[in-house]
Amino acid sequence: MEKENKERLVKIIASAALLVVAVVVSKLTNLKMWQELLLFLVPYLIAGGETLKEAAEKLLEGELLDEDFLMSVATLGALAIGFIPGAESQFPEAVFVMLFFQIGEFFEDMAEDKSRDSITELMDIRPDTASVERDGATIVVNPSEITVGETIVIKPGEKVPLDGVVIEGSSSLDTVALTGESVPRGIAVGDNILSGCVNLSGVLRARVTKPFTESTASKILELVENASENKSKSESFITRFAKVYTPIVVVLAVLLAFLPPLLSGNFSAEFAKWLYRALTFLIVSCPCALVISIPLAFFGGIGGAARKGILVKGSNYLEALARLGTVVFDKTGTLTEGVFEVTAVHPETIDEKELLHLAAHVERYSTHPVAVSLRLAYPDEADSCSVEDVEEVAGQGVKARVNGKTVCVGNSKMMEAIGVPWKDCEKKGTIVHVSLDGEYVGHIVVSDRIKADAAEALKALKENGVTKTVMLTGDKADVAAEVASEVGVDEFRAELLPADKVSEVEKLIAGKPDGRSLAFVGDGINDAPVLARADVGIAMGALGSDAAIEAADVVLMDDKPSKLATGIKAARKTLGIARQNTVFSIGVKVLVLLLAMFGLATMWMAVLADVGVMVLAVLNSTRALKA
Ligand code: ADP
Ligand code: MG
């Protein structure tokens, strides 16, 4: 429990006890009205002092119409009512209402703390300590004190504290907290390890590649913690609703207090009765249940999705996911593994080894999956050759100067751009052409595998209301056609530059059905601009670049396209809960408001209904967290 809430609990108990004392004393003795007021004012101020102060502060800022204000006016009115000639005093009621309002607030804080705790607990990925090798000894320090390039040691059972690359040892890692994937991942020398995973079997030594604040665990926690800042439409609706609703309620209450007694012709006899009804009306009209439970539902929904390895950066994206109509996929790294293998080498004027050598050198700094495969195919890449003036052309390839000669490595678009005639290949796959000082020296064929769950993912999307799926790729049309038919996307467009992908997505957005959203799913290599342009940009996490994780609105941590359908389901559930709460609490409010208007509801009933509805709505909201 937070300190603030502990204080509140103490105040509630003290105020309740003093209320009982005040009731007993006022029954046993024969106090004057003002003496009785002083007696009840003590528990009233203990319980409601903070609320009164806040309402007064907001009043001075010109921002008066929220639940603190409503409760303050209603209870002050109840305290004053006894001084009207002919009216019964309502001191205990006033204190009780204030007290119950505090109990409601207390409960709300508890529920919020609890869902926050359960999210952070389930995402228990923040490492507390790290073992680092310094001056020949291994010492335990706070992970934030470790710098890039240092060597850390991770024993079995320990959490990986920072992102790094394994330099000694082999083991398997439990990645469930990060990806929702329960099958352990085998790890050996040279593999990247992500902070937040748990080392299961062997001792690992790793070189740190990212500082603590940029490591995966910190990034994810930051993401989830900040997600509540991106408000959904339902949430902003609640804020706007309260802005219009509360003034209307206040005006109605004033009318209710004054109009009927005025019309009755006997104002002084009727006023006290109608004032009481108006005050009851004010209490009932408090929008607490909505104001509290809707954001809590979204908070839970984001937490629940995170537990399944789906990071949603805000509740507005949860809402967009629930309305998904069109899904556009990138090919490489999204529907395919993005792990290419060299399947053929066809040199023209130089020998095979030389061709691979040139290609690998030019790709020295590229992170593109094609580049990675070319470097792997030529193991001695890091030799003493000079590689300068490297220029990567997105969607085409890379140009560089190798030992003083200009070498271009890329697809047919690149060859055409530099005016080098190229030869086609009868082999299936992505063709990487190579030119040396403007002369064509041959090509290398690389190919990729389709992800195991890609076809299933497309099917699941259709089952969840997605009406159109499209694949966009910079690759050749024949490779694209094959992947498209194998995974079952409705349409595909090939040989696109990154800018073409943006315009394709814009066209699709313009043509999509009303009220439905469009998602782009990519790995972030060459597609960050499209991720930003779509209604929901979805990045494949572990393989994807940092740029993609920054640009995306949703990150699928385990790179599985099938997680998209899981995300849609979670989003729908959250929105359903929000809707139930809205209907239920507005329904009960309207009912009690009507009763209050006709004098059938007491102040006690009003505050019980208000807090009761809130408690039920909050409990309903916590369901969003559960899978
Ligand atoms: P996709 O749309 O399938 O993700 P990209 O836009 O990343 O593909 O790249 C499109 C094409 O451009 C690739 O299929 C490849 O032929 C070529 N290409 C891009 N980057 C490189 C590179 N670094 N080396 C060689 N070829 C590249
Ligand atoms: Mg790509």
Side-chain angles (χ1 to χ4, degrees), residues 330 332 363 366 368 392 395-398 411 473-475 501 526:
D330 179 42
T332 313
E363 302 279 13
S366 172
H368 198 278
E392 179 143 10
Q396 294 192 358
V398 185
N411 54 16
T473 178
D475 211 345
K501 291 188 187 173
N526 293 345

